[in-house]
Amino acid sequence: MRTVSFEPHDHSRCITTTLETVAVLCIEKGLQFTPVRRRVLEILLEEHRAWGAYEILDRLREDGLGSQPPVAYRALDFLVKHSFAHRIERLNAFIACSHPGTDHAPLFMICRKCETVAEASAELHQGQLNDTARAAGFQIEGSIIEAEGVCPKCQGPVSQ
């Protein structure tokens, strides 16, 4: 599974593909992909950064889709519950899932300068985290890893 957002890509295709994938998954799972839920996902997909709930609410208000916090929070709860979006604890914000419909443990790389967020997949069955948990008799069922640093764009040219 590749990392999304730090590398150049066709962003309009990225948005379209994710929306189509989520729409199909909702049909397959018998879930309601309402206009508000779809619009919230579209907002999350506009940029590869995390959005705060009140930023999303402002956008929904502009679109005439609601002005009360529960409108945004219900849509976000739905998207997170079904793994179409993730909550970034470090930023108290949300981001669209880069790999909807796949079973993965997300690893978020958050640029502390521009707040771009890239999602990759962490392998839970390998590595030190799993070894430490196993030694403690703990079985990991899920994990979200958030790493803060500086993205390639904000690092500037690398001198050799």
Side-chain angles (χ1 to χ4, degrees):
M1 198 172 294
R2 56 189 261 281
T3 301
V4 174
S5 94
F6 290 149
E7 59 192 40
H9 65 284
D10 181 348
H11 192 62
S12 61
R13 184 167 181 247
C14 174
I15 292 170
T16 303
T17 301
T18 300
L19 288 170
E20 289 171 354
T21 299
V22 169
V24 168
L25 289 167
C26 284
I27 291 168
E28 289 173 355
K29 296 178 178 186
L31 303 172
Q32 296 291 319
F33 195 35
T34 66
V36 171
R37 291 170 177 172
R38 181 182 180 86
R39 182 63 187 128
V40 169
L41 184 59
E42 287 172 345
I43 292 167
L44 293 175
L45 287 164
E46 286 177 4
E47 301 173 42
H48 287 290
R49 71 171 182 91
W51 291 77
Y54 281 93
E55 288 179 292
I56 293 168
L57 184 60
D58 288 343
R59 295 293 299 279
L60 292 175
R61 185 180 300 116
E62 290 170 10
D63 295 344
L65 292 172
S67 61
Q68 298 300 313
V71 172
Y73 280 110
R74 281 187 208 117
L76 289 166
D77 286 345
F78 170 85
L79 295 171
V80 170
K81 177 181 179 182
H82 297 289
S83 300
F84 303 140
H86 302 288
R87 186 169 192 281
I88 306 293
E89 297 292 331
R90 155 98 179 57
L91 301 174
N92 191 26
F94 300 85
I95 189 163
C97 179
S98 297
H99 313 289
T102 64
D103 186 24
H104 65 286
L107 161 63
F108 298 107
M109 294 166 279
I110 305 162
C111 179
R112 66 177 167 75
K113 291 187 176 184
C114 69
E115 293 192 347
T116 296
V117 179
E119 179 183 351
S121 182
E123 296 296 328
L124 292 180
H125 61 276
Q126 299 174 352
Q128 188 175 3
L129 178 61
N130 188 56
D131 293 344
T132 302
R134 192 173 330 132
F138 184 80
Q139 182 177 351
I140 297 175
E141 293 178 345
S143 176
I144 296 175
I145 300 169
E146 298 179 12
E148 185 179 50
V150 181
C151 74
K153 180 179 159 190
C154 291
Q155 290 176 35
V158 177
S159 58
Q160 294 184 359

